[in-house]
């Protein structure tokens, strides 16, 4: 008989309900109807078994493919991580070349290339933390946290200096680094 999973399960449910219809008005079992019903039940059971076996085979194949794809994804992620490291290392080479170019050509930090430019840019960063000389007021109960973004903004816009903040017990460490910037 065959059919889709839905058709087979619908047929099996119909056959289960049809068992009560095999008896006649007197309550006696009609042998011909019972034999036909039983043959259809056996065929439906064979279809269910066959369909389940097919579904299991497809499910097993899908799970195997999923494992293969997971392994391939992990392998590709490892390659991507390695390539990112290679690119970072090349950025270091670029920085060394730009520093040498800057030494050979004082005041020049940009080199024009065929497909864009590469230049050195100075980046300033600040580390902010509470110093040992900072003492909380009596009205402060919870441990105090420094709003680092606000402190950095105050230093950048000139409303506070590192020295002034140091007198208040807030330690600010300024660091500058040259970074490579690429452009079109």
């Amino acid at each position: 008989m065959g059919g889709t999973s839905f058709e087979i399960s619908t047929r099996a449910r119909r056959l289960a309900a049809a068992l009560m219809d095999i008896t006649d008005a007197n309550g006696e079992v009609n042998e011909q109807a019972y034999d036909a019903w039983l043959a259809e039940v056996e065929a439906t059971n064979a279809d269910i078994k066959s369909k389940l076996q097919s579904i299991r085979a497809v499910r097993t194949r899908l799970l195997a493919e999923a494992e293969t794809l997971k392994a391939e994804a992990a392998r590709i992620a490892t390659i991507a991580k390695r390539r990112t490291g290679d690119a970072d290392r090349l950025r270091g080479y670029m920085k060394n070349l730009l520093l040498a170019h800057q030494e050979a050509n004082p005041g020049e930090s940009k080199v024009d290339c065929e497909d864009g430019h590469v230049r050195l840019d100075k980046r300033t960063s600040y580390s902010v933390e509470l110093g040992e000389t900072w003492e909380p007021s009596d009205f402060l109960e919870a441990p105090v946290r420094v709003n680092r973004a606000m402190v950095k903004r105050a230093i950048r816009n000139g409303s506070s200096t590192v020295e002034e903040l140091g007198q208040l017990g807030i330690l600010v460490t300024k660091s500058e680094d040259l970074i490579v910037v690429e452009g079109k």
Side-chain angles (χ1 to χ4, degrees):
M1 292 182 145
T4 65
S5 297
F6 177 75
E7 292 168 346
I8 294 170
S9 59
T10 301
R11 189 175 350 122
R13 288 186 180 93
R14 181 184 52 78
L15 286 170
L19 178 60
M20 301 309 285
D21 297 335
I22 295 176
T23 59
D24 60 13
N26 296 333
E28 293 185 30
V29 174
N30 181 337
E31 291 294 325
Q32 277 185 321
Y34 179 76
D35 289 342
W37 175 84
L38 189 58
E40 195 172 347
V41 166
E42 288 174 355
T44 301
N45 285 341
D47 288 345
I48 288 173
K49 181 180 178 181
S50 174
K51 186 60 75 173
L52 286 173
Q53 182 60 42
S54 297
I55 290 172
R56 286 188 65 203
V58 170
R59 185 176 182 279
T60 300
R61 188 189 82 235
L62 289 173
L63 290 173
E65 286 177 10
E67 288 302 315
T68 301
L69 291 172
K70 285 179 190 176
E72 183 67 11
R75 185 184 72 79
I76 290 171
T78 301
I79 292 170
K81 189 174 181 180
R82 189 178 319 128
R83 296 286 162 82
T84 301
D86 293 345
D88 289 342
R89 190 170 54 255
L90 289 174
R91 186 169 291 275
Y93 296 157
M94 292 167 74
K95 183 177 179 179
N96 285 336
L97 286 170
L98 286 169
L99 287 171
H101 175 76
Q102 201 172 32
E103 285 178 26
N105 304 290
E108 224 179 284
S109 63
K110 179 178 171 183
V111 175
D112 290 320
C113 302
E114 292 176 15
D115 62 345
H117 67 272
V118 183
R119 66 181 170 84
L120 282 176
D121 193 17
K122 187 189 302 185
R123 290 285 163 95
T124 304
S125 62
Y126 298 96
S127 169
V128 180
E129 55 189 59
L130 291 176
E132 292 177 11
T133 60
W134 188 86
E135 293 191 23
S137 303
D138 293 335
F139 63 89
L140 295 174
E141 294 177 15
V144 176
R145 291 180 43 183
V146 177
N147 185 336
R148 288 173 170 76
M150 187 179 256
V151 170
K152 291 174 186 178
R153 198 174 314 120
I155 291 171
R156 285 190 184 111
N157 69 22
S159 62
S160 294
T161 64
V162 173
E163 292 77 20
E164 291 171 343
L165 292 169
Q167 291 173 355
L168 296 174
I170 300 173
L171 301 178
V172 179
T173 308
K174 179 179 177 180
S175 62
E176 293 182 342
D177 190 24
L178 294 174
I179 62 164
V180 175
V181 179
E182 298 177 67
K184 301 255 179 211

